[in-house]
Amino acid sequence: MATIEECRAALDKLSGNMQHAEGDVREATLLDRSVSCHIKDLDVTFVGRLKGGRIEVHDTVQGAPRERAQIRLTLTGDDLLALVDGELHFARAWGSGRVRLEAGLRDLFHLRKLL
């Protein structure tokens, strides 16, 4: 089972990957939205902001986030690590229910370029 520190490092790696993206993917990363990533098996949520092509994590809270973020991701720690390392394909994980992504329709349209 992944640790909180490993999950935080995975989010930092994802943020770095996003910052170096190009083309349509880069355009999708330029959203300015509140984000949360709930790690189900650890029952912690990373709360922050997608801004300037990066994910800025501002806080880690026990349980569900106090406020509803505009973009919400829910998954296990191991699945987060596998996604970031390229071992788990997002569309398959989402389709099978292993990963849950919630956002407004316009944001989902932009995010599909990332996924």
Side-chain angles (χ1 to χ4, degrees):
M1 182 163 84
T3 66
I4 292 173
E5 293 79 16
E6 289 172 323
C7 291
R8 174 61 194 257
L11 287 173
D12 289 342
K13 181 178 179 181
L14 176 61
S15 181
N17 292 346
M18 289 171 50
Q19 192 171 28
H20 295 100
E22 297 179 0
D24 287 345
V25 173
R26 176 73 178 155
E27 180 183 325
T29 67
L30 295 178
L31 294 171
D32 183 0
R33 301 288 186 271
S34 60
V35 296
S36 67
C37 180
H38 182 71
I39 308 300
K40 298 186 294 187
D41 53 334
L42 299 174
D43 197 26
V44 298
T45 303
F46 297 96
V47 179
R49 191 144 201 97
L50 172 62
K51 183 177 180 179
R54 293 190 52 82
I55 298 171
E56 301 170 353
V57 176
H58 300 289
D59 200 6
T60 305
V61 297
Q62 192 64 37
R66 294 179 192 107
E67 295 180 20
R68 186 174 177 200
Q70 292 167 306
I71 299 172
R72 299 166 304 282
L73 185 64
T74 303
L75 68 171
T76 67
D78 289 340
D79 284 344
L80 174 62
L81 298 180
L83 279 171
V84 173
D85 289 339
E87 299 168 6
L88 179 63
H89 190 267
F90 182 85
R92 281 187 228 130
W94 179 71
S96 68
R98 287 174 68 177
V99 174
R100 186 172 170 188
L101 175 66
E102 298 175 275
L105 188 58
R106 177 178 274 174
D107 290 340
L108 287 172
F109 180 73
H110 286 287
L111 290 171
R112 73 175 169 76
K113 297 173 188 174
L114 290 172
L115 313 171

